[in-house]
Amino acid sequence: MAALQKSIDKRNALINATIELVNNDGFHATPMSKIAKMACVSPATIYLYFENKQDLVNKTYIEVKANYTAYAFATYDETMPVEKGFKVIWKRIAEFKLKESADAMFLAQCDNTPMIDEASRQEGIKHLQPLLDLWARGKKEGVIKPVSDYMLYAYSINPLSFLMITQNRGSVKLDKEHLDQAYEAAWSSIKTCK
Amino acid sequence: MAALQKSIDKRNALINATIELVNNDGFHATPMSKIAKMACVSPATIYLYFENKQDLVNKTYIEVKANYTAYAFATYDETMPVEKGFKVIWKRIAEFKLKESADAMFLAQCDNTPMIDEASRQEGIKHLQPLLDLWARGKKEGVIKPVSDYMLYAYSINPLSFLMITQNRGSVKLDKEHLDQAYEAAWSSIKTCK
Amino acid sequence: MAALQKSIDKRNALINATIELVNNDGFHATPMSKIAKMACVSPATIYLYFENKQDLVNKTYIEVKANYTAYAFATYDETMPVEKGFKVIWKRIAEFKLKESADAMFLAQCDNTPMIDEASRQEGIKHLQPLLDLWARGKKEGVIKPVSDYMLYAYSINPLSFLMITQNRGSVKLDKEHLDQAYEAAWSSIKTCK
Amino acid sequence: MAALQKSIDKRNALINATIELVNNDGFHATPMSKIAKMACVSPATIYLYFENKQDLVNKTYIEVKANYTAYAFATYDETMPVEKGFKVIWKRIAEFKLKESADAMFLAQCDNTPMIDEASRQEGIKHLQPLLDLWARGKKEGVIKPVSDYMLYAYSINPLSFLMITQNRGSVKLDKEHLDQAYEAAWSSIKTCK
DNA sequence: CATGAATGAGAGTTCATTCAT
DNA sequence: CATGAATGAACTCTCATTCAT
């Protein structure tokens, strides 16, 4: 039991080291030895938990993505009305991106880079299903614009990534007021105009 | 004259090879030898035109960014009314991102990755000034929401990057109708609601 | 213990390969790969024991210099009378230079070339202190000429380097008689003339 | 005529650049391109005057060695008595080593390093003949010890190289008094003791 | 004669991965 | 399970040399 916990701790330490180092230096500029050192294990130990470097980063991506979506939908409930549901999800996503910025930066880098297997990318996307279901419901009810999910995502969710990166570079600090503006912009770009 | 032209051709071949290979494999997974081979020169020749690998990618970034903004503002004229001006610029940006998708992908990777010098990034940003000026004018006239430029960019311009990447991955094909929807979403997210 | 011994053996093999190859070809004409091959290790292994090529040659210099001075003073004892002490040291130095000629050649090359860090050079000089102390005593007693240590070294010790190099080039073979002549010349050039 | 002079100037500039750069950095750490730049010519031009890098350094060695010996024997005359003759030569050598220290440093590095062809080394030694003749005469007259020329050189001439190097490293400044001491040591080590 | 541009060969060094312990 | 030592392969970059002009 204690042994199992130690294993889990090591795996987590490796995942976290990967996130931090890849954020700072990029995937290929991050040696396995550095990851090992930051996680306080031997380089060889990494290979007990992951097949190779690509597998390590793939698994890290999937794990972070899973955390992200779990957080996003934690307070959402499929019985909510569409607008309410969207607001709940959007706020959680914003919170995650701006508070768990290391995780969010890592995802942004993975999503704009050929560093992740296509298979792992697909795996990561699956978790977004509740949001797509919400949008489907919204379209049927005539509350959400009848456009493709990619378009909805591009205008209501993805801007948060840009704002998160900008904030992390120090160019701007996003307070509550900004977030409200952002939500307004997000919602107004996907709701049907009466 | 012919010698100068040959020099320019070689430099261009190197820049283009860099864009293509970095797009496919990422910065650190692209060896100088591969870039040289694709540009049909010796690896040593690269160092006649660029100081080192970092310099090559920095210069490539600046060059592509300059092309991008030149394209964006080519048909814009500061005397245009704000809404007209924004539409003109937005359409050109969309055209660039979706047609010159190799260049656009390269920029997206640079902007979401620690692969570019901070100095080069700043250098690249400068060229966007006409758009910021347009927004300033729009805010003064009460046509554009009085929010920060980052916010305006996040909701009106940046979504195009997401759509471009999505299209390049083959998930979606953006036709004229999609573009019109996208423009509507972009404009409605930054214009003041009457 | 066995593992430690293997480490020491490898380090020694590297040091010895460095001495031999630098003697034959010079510092910059000796590639790391050749050193590795002669020491029967992979090139990468060198970097487990030394930071880089400069560090390798610096450490080799210091180690050889330490061996040299240890040999020089092994039979010397500070209570010996000055003339006796000098003779003892001189003979040991001569023995070292002519028998351990690889080591001596290496030191000569280091001392006449910009291939060693100034810091390492200083480190190497420190070990000669007992000889300087002996000379100080000799000057106080009026046995040794009251001239600078550099002068004493130039005329009593340094000629051995020239003779060693000459012998290694095959121009001459130094037997016991030559050595006695050399000692006479050395001593007569630093002792006070009665 | 003017064209010939320009050729000679270029050759000299190359020789001088070689001396200075090899003194500072060593033979192999001195690129041809750097030599060319210091001599204000194109790298390709070097190959009009010298076959290759090895040839350049060989020729430089021979030229410097010739200058050195020309200087050494300039005021010497074979009719001088042995002691007078030796003094005259010794003083000129000392003057050269301490004043033309760049040239002298270069020779020292060549003589203690495998950077010169054996053939060029032999070529350089030939010029010392007048000194060897003087010593032969001295031995016949019973003024000079009946030992090998190498021994005589080691104790009377070579120490000047050590003193020169030491002075160039800044450890010591040799004034007239030091030189007189040095000459005393040199002469007393090779003259026959009455 | 002189050159700047070009390069093939090879330098030092790093790193993902393995394996005896 | 965990490791540190070891390494082959591959990287970036340099340089002596050449050649069209």
Side-chain angles (χ1 to χ4, degrees):
Chain A
M1 193 54 52
L4 176 60
Q5 186 54 48
K6 253 181 75 182
S7 264
I8 294 175
D9 288 349
K10 260 177 204 172
R11 211 191 111 101
N12 282 339
L14 285 167
I15 296 267
N16 290 331
T18 302
I19 294 168
E20 178 165 345
L21 291 170
V22 168
N23 274 350
N24 287 337
D25 304 333
F27 171 50
H28 281 98
T30 300
M32 294 294 263
S33 57
K34 215 169 164 185
I35 295 175
K37 195 165 289 170
M38 180 172 274
C40 298
V41 299
S42 158
T45 303
I46 301 182
Y47 293 84
L48 299 176
Y49 294 87
F50 304 95
E51 283 174 46
N52 50 38
K53 194 182 182 184
Q54 185 63 57
D55 183 49
L56 165 61
V57 75
N58 284 343
K59 296 266 173 65
T60 301
Y61 173 75
I62 292 173
E63 201 142 318
V64 173
K65 194 83 172 196
N67 289 347
Y68 161 63
T69 44
Y71 193 97
F73 300 123
T75 60
Y76 168 68
D77 164 353
E78 295 183 5
T79 64
M80 290 173 176
V82 171
E83 182 169 359
K84 176 73 193 306
F86 177 75
K87 188 170 200 167
V88 159
I89 294 170
W90 191 96
K91 294 260 162 154
R92 291 286 289 183
I93 289 179
E95 226 174 276
F96 184 91
K97 296 223 173 187
L98 298 177
K99 288 189 183 157
E100 307 294 326
S101 60
D103 284 10
M105 281 296 280
F106 182 78
L107 292 179
Q109 192 169 168
C110 290
D111 286 331
N112 292 280
T113 282
M115 76 186 237
I116 291 290
D117 274 356
E118 192 49 33
S120 302
R121 205 187 300 282
Q122 294 302 331
E123 170 77 17
I125 288 178
K126 287 194 315 194
H127 297 98
L128 268 181
Q129 200 54 46
L131 179 59
L132 306 187
D133 292 343
L134 175 71
W135 280 341
R137 184 151 57 92
K139 289 179 203 170
K140 208 185 316 169
E141 294 176 9
V143 185
I144 300 283
K145 284 183 189 167
V147 301
S148 86
D149 290 340
Y150 290 109
M151 200 74 76
L152 297 178
Y153 193 88
Y155 281 90
S156 66
I157 306 297
N158 192 66
L160 283 170
S161 291
F162 176 83
L163 291 174
M164 175 269 299
I165 289 174
T166 308
Q167 170 168 288
N168 284 355
R169 291 227 174 91
S171 310
V172 78
K173 176 78 193 75
L174 294 164
D175 56 23
K176 174 131 188 19
E177 194 191 336
H178 289 103
L179 274 190
D180 289 341
Q181 291 170 358
Y183 176 72
E184 273 319 304
W187 176 245
S188 79
S189 69
I190 68 168
K191 71 157 193 257
T192 46
C193 310
K194 270 160 305 187
Chain B
M1 194 52 51
L4 176 60
Q5 187 53 49
K6 251 181 73 184
S7 265
I8 293 174
D9 289 350
K10 250 169 214 175
R11 212 192 110 102
N12 282 340
L14 286 167
I15 295 267
N16 290 331
T18 301
I19 293 168
E20 178 166 346
L21 291 170
V22 168
N23 274 350
N24 287 339
D25 304 334
F27 172 51
H28 281 100
T30 300
M32 294 296 259
S33 57
K34 217 168 163 186
I35 296 175
K37 197 165 287 171
M38 180 172 274
C40 298
V41 298
S42 158
T45 303
I46 302 182
Y47 295 86
L48 296 178
Y49 294 88
F50 303 96
E51 282 174 45
N52 49 41
K53 195 182 181 185
Q54 185 63 57
D55 183 50
L56 166 61
V57 77
N58 284 343
K59 295 267 171 66
T60 301
Y61 173 75
I62 291 174
E63 201 142 320
V64 173
K65 193 84 169 196
N67 288 347
Y68 162 62
T69 44
Y71 193 97
F73 299 123
T75 60
Y76 167 67
D77 163 355
E78 294 182 6
T79 64
M80 292 174 173
V82 170
E83 181 168 0
K84 174 74 193 305
F86 178 75
K87 187 171 202 166
V88 160
I89 294 170
W90 191 96
K91 293 262 162 151
R92 290 284 290 184
I93 289 179
E95 226 174 277
F96 184 92
K97 296 223 174 185
L98 299 176
K99 288 189 183 157
E100 308 294 325
S101 59
D103 284 9
M105 282 295 280
F106 182 79
L107 291 179
Q109 191 170 167
C110 290
D111 286 331
N112 291 280
T113 282
M115 77 186 237
I116 292 290
D117 275 356
E118 191 50 32
S120 302
R121 206 188 298 285
Q122 294 302 333
E123 170 77 17
I125 287 178
K126 288 193 316 193
H127 297 99
L128 268 182
Q129 199 55 44
L131 179 59
L132 306 187
D133 293 342
L134 175 71
W135 281 341
R137 185 151 57 94
K139 289 178 201 170
K140 210 185 315 171
E141 295 176 9
V143 187
I144 301 281
K145 284 184 190 166
V147 302
S148 88
D149 291 339
Y150 290 109
M151 200 72 78
L152 298 178
Y153 194 89
Y155 280 90
S156 67
I157 306 295
N158 192 66
L160 283 169
S161 291
F162 176 83
L163 292 172
M164 176 269 299
I165 290 173
T166 309
Q167 169 169 287
N168 284 355
R169 290 228 175 89
S171 311
V172 78
K173 176 77 193 75
L174 294 164
D175 56 21
K176 175 132 188 18
E177 194 191 337
H178 288 104
L179 273 190
D180 289 340
Q181 291 171 356
Y183 176 72
E184 274 321 303
W187 176 244
S188 78
S189 70
I190 68 168
K191 72 155 193 259
T192 47
C193 310
K194 267 158 307 186
Chain C
M1 194 51 53
L4 177 60
Q5 187 53 49
K6 248 180 77 183
S7 265
I8 293 174
D9 289 349
K10 252 171 213 175
R11 211 191 109 103
N12 283 340
L14 286 167
I15 295 267
N16 290 331
T18 302
I19 293 168
E20 178 165 345
L21 291 169
V22 169
N23 275 348
N24 286 338
D25 304 332
F27 172 51
H28 281 99
T30 300
M32 295 296 260
S33 57
K34 217 167 163 185
I35 296 175
K37 197 164 289 170
M38 180 172 274
C40 297
V41 298
S42 157
T45 302
I46 301 182
Y47 294 85
L48 296 178
Y49 294 88
F50 304 96
E51 282 175 45
N52 50 40
K53 196 182 181 185
Q54 185 64 57
D55 184 49
L56 166 60
V57 75
N58 284 343
K59 296 266 172 65
T60 301
Y61 173 75
I62 291 174
E63 202 142 318
V64 173
K65 194 85 172 194
N67 289 348
Y68 162 62
T69 44
Y71 193 96
F73 300 121
T75 59
Y76 167 67
D77 164 355
E78 294 182 6
T79 63
M80 291 173 174
V82 171
E83 182 169 358
K84 175 74 192 307
F86 178 75
K87 188 171 200 165
V88 159
I89 294 170
W90 191 95
K91 294 261 163 153
R92 292 286 289 185
I93 289 179
E95 226 174 276
F96 185 91
K97 295 222 176 188
L98 299 177
K99 287 189 183 156
E100 307 294 326
S101 59
D103 285 9
M105 280 296 280
F106 182 78
L107 291 179
Q109 191 169 168
C110 290
D111 286 331
N112 291 279
T113 282
M115 76 186 239
I116 292 290
D117 275 357
E118 191 50 31
S120 302
R121 205 189 298 285
Q122 294 301 332
E123 170 77 17
I125 287 179
K126 287 194 316 196
H127 296 98
L128 268 181
Q129 199 55 45
L131 179 60
L132 306 187
D133 292 342
L134 175 71
W135 281 341
R137 184 151 56 93
K139 288 180 204 170
K140 208 184 319 167
E141 295 176 9
V143 186
I144 300 280
K145 283 184 191 167
V147 302
S148 87
D149 290 340
Y150 289 110
M151 200 74 76
L152 298 177
Y153 194 89
Y155 280 90
S156 67
I157 306 296
N158 193 65
L160 283 169
S161 290
F162 176 83
L163 292 173
M164 175 269 298
I165 290 173
T166 308
Q167 169 168 287
N168 284 355
R169 293 229 173 88
S171 311
V172 78
K173 177 76 192 77
L174 293 164
D175 56 22
K176 176 134 187 18
E177 194 192 337
H178 289 103
L179 273 189
D180 289 341
Q181 290 169 359
Y183 177 71
E184 274 318 306
W187 175 245
S188 76
S189 69
I190 68 168
K191 72 155 193 261
T192 46
C193 309
K194 269 159 307 187
Chain D
M1 196 54 52
L4 176 60
Q5 186 53 48
K6 253 180 74 183
S7 264
I8 293 174
D9 289 350
K10 259 174 203 170
R11 211 191 110 102
N12 281 340
L14 285 167
I15 296 267
N16 290 330
T18 302
I19 293 167
E20 178 165 344
L21 291 171
V22 168
N23 274 350
N24 286 338
D25 304 331
F27 172 50
H28 280 99
T30 300
M32 294 295 263
S33 58
K34 215 169 165 185
I35 295 175
K37 196 165 288 170
M38 180 173 273
C40 298
V41 299
S42 158
T45 302
I46 301 183
Y47 293 85
L48 299 176
Y49 294 87
F50 303 96
E51 282 174 46
N52 51 40
K53 195 182 182 185
Q54 186 62 59
D55 183 49
L56 165 61
V57 75
N58 284 342
K59 295 266 172 66
T60 301
Y61 174 74
I62 292 173
E63 202 143 317
V64 173
K65 194 84 171 195
N67 289 347
Y68 162 61
T69 42
Y71 193 97
F73 299 125
T75 60
Y76 167 67
D77 164 355
E78 295 183 5
T79 64
M80 291 174 174
V82 170
E83 181 168 0
K84 174 74 191 307
F86 178 74
K87 187 170 202 167
V88 159
I89 294 170
W90 191 96
K91 293 262 161 152
R92 291 286 290 184
I93 290 179
E95 225 174 277
F96 184 90
K97 295 223 174 185
L98 299 177
K99 288 189 182 157
E100 307 294 324
S101 59
D103 284 8
M105 281 296 280
F106 182 78
L107 291 179
Q109 191 168 168
C110 290
D111 286 331
N112 291 280
T113 283
M115 75 186 238
I116 292 292
D117 276 355
E118 192 50 32
S120 303
R121 206 188 299 284
Q122 294 302 332
E123 170 77 17
I125 288 179
K126 286 195 315 195
H127 297 97
L128 268 181
Q129 200 55 46
L131 179 60
L132 306 188
D133 292 342
L134 175 71
W135 280 342
R137 185 151 56 92
K139 290 179 204 168
K140 207 181 325 166
E141 294 177 9
V143 187
I144 300 282
K145 284 184 190 167
V147 302
S148 88
D149 290 340
Y150 288 110
M151 200 74 78
L152 298 178
Y153 194 89
Y155 280 90
S156 66
I157 306 296
N158 192 66
L160 283 169
S161 291
F162 176 83
L163 291 173
M164 177 269 299
I165 290 173
T166 309
Q167 170 167 286
N168 284 355
R169 291 227 174 92
S171 310
V172 78
K173 176 79 193 74
L174 294 166
D175 56 22
K176 174 130 189 21
E177 194 191 337
H178 289 104
L179 274 190
D180 289 342
Q181 291 169 358
Y183 177 71
E184 273 320 304
W187 176 245
S188 77
S189 69
I190 67 167
K191 72 157 193 259
T192 46
C193 309
K194 271 157 306 183

